[in-house]
Amino acid sequence: GENVEQHPSTLSVQEGDSAVIKCTYSDSASNYFPWYKQELGKRPQLIIDIRSNVGEKKDQRIAVTLNKTAKHFSLHITETQPEDSAVYFCAASKGSNYQLIWGAGTKLIIKP
Amino acid sequence: DAGVTQSPTHLIKTRGQHVTLRCSPISGHKSVSWYQQVLGQGPQFIFQYYEKEERGRGNFPDRFSARQFPNYSSELNVNALLLGDSALYLCASSGTPNSNQPQHFGDGTRLSIL
């Protein structure tokens, strides 16, 4: 079955710098890749998603890139702010089944 | 508009008991999925329901069951609770059963087993 690996498990960056989180997936049939942000004790919130017919998508300071050949996708956050501190999860699905397969999460720490 | 609502927010049970968790999807959403999130890990898929029918099941034992009602709300039931069932149980709703559509999560029910 599908497997999603996420790196790093913890990422500490200076406020204002960029942060990059990477995920790889195993099933080449996967076609939908969302990213969720989860603050401590709160619900996962969808922050951006990308489909396999697109290589890059951007929403203000957040962007996601997808490399289907290498089967990896990345989250890029620019001009990081303290409120970006949270755990970020990547996920993948094929659409034809009904499961989102999640990565293990990255704890992003923004240092003032 | 109300988002996904779950109840209760917290629950403490002892081993061997059973529990029922409830979820109301976003208005207009007909698909509900349940996830278990153990502390420090990503959510694990348990079930998906659409139009009152089970459309997907994750790798969980038969002690876990669920159902969806005509108003698209859903219940997750867990019998014979084990210590390892302690987790945050998340409900997510979406407009269609396809997992390549955005899923929106509730705040979850934190279940503690003593």
Side-chain angles (χ1 to χ4, degrees):
Chain A
E2 173 70 284
N3 183 50
V4 176
E5 293 189 357
Q6 183 171 349
H7 299 281
S9 57
T10 304
L11 177 60
S12 183
V13 301
Q14 204 70 38
E15 181 179 351
D17 288 350
S18 296
V20 180
I21 302 171
K22 299 180 180 181
C23 289
T24 60
Y25 59 98
S26 60
D27 192 334
S28 57
S30 291
N31 58 11
Y32 176 64
F33 308 92
W35 286 89
Y36 285 85
K37 173 184 179 182
Q38 188 175 31
E39 297 176 63
L40 191 63
K42 296 192 176 180
R43 68 180 75 183
Q45 289 188 304
L46 179 68
I47 56 172
I48 197 167
D49 57 9
I50 192 168
R51 300 181 191 283
S52 58
N53 59 346
V54 175
E56 183 175 359
K57 183 177 179 181
K58 190 174 181 180
D59 183 4
Q60 299 182 343
R61 296 186 298 110
I62 294 173
V64 56
T65 59
L66 171 65
N67 183 327
K68 287 190 295 182
T69 303
K71 289 188 286 187
H72 67 70
F73 55 113
S74 300
L75 177 71
H76 304 253
I77 306 175
T78 59
E79 301 173 10
T80 53
Q81 301 169 3
E83 53 264 37
D84 294 331
S85 294
V87 179
Y88 291 80
F89 292 97
C90 63
S93 82
K94 292 189 284 192
S96 57
N97 66 5
Y98 309 104
Q99 292 190 37
L100 266 181
I101 307 299
W102 295 65
T106 295
K107 183 177 182 179
L108 177 61
I109 300 167
I110 308 301
K111 296 181 292 185
Chain B
D1 285 345
V4 177
T5 58
Q6 291 187 243
S7 63
T9 55
H10 295 85
L11 204 51
I12 299 174
K13 292 284 188 178
T14 57
R15 283 178 295 175
Q17 288 187 310
H18 70 272
V19 67
T20 297
L21 311 180
R22 296 177 176 83
C23 170
S24 292
I26 291 172
S27 178
H29 283 188
K30 299 180 179 180
S31 174
V32 169
S33 296
W34 287 95
Y35 293 83
Q36 180 195 66
Q37 187 177 24
V38 174
L39 195 62
Q41 298 181 18
Q44 298 292 314
F45 174 78
I46 309 175
F47 286 111
Q48 194 219 25
Y49 275 78
Y50 179 72
E51 293 281 14
K52 297 178 288 181
E53 291 188 1
E54 181 184 302
R55 300 294 292 270
R57 172 186 284 255
N59 188 23
F60 280 80
D62 292 343
R63 300 184 295 107
F64 289 77
S65 63
R67 55 179 176 167
Q68 187 176 33
F69 300 98
N71 65 354
Y72 305 113
S73 67
S74 178
E75 284 183 353
L76 175 69
N77 296 283
V78 187
N79 294 323
L81 288 165
L82 303 174
L83 292 177
D85 295 331
S86 294
L88 179 67
Y89 288 84
L90 293 162
C91 172
S93 78
S94 59
T96 75
N98 294 322
S99 57
N100 61 359
Q101 297 299 314
Q103 296 191 23
H104 302 274
F105 285 82
D107 287 329
T109 293
R110 186 161 298 282
L111 177 62
S112 299
I113 311 300
L114 303 179

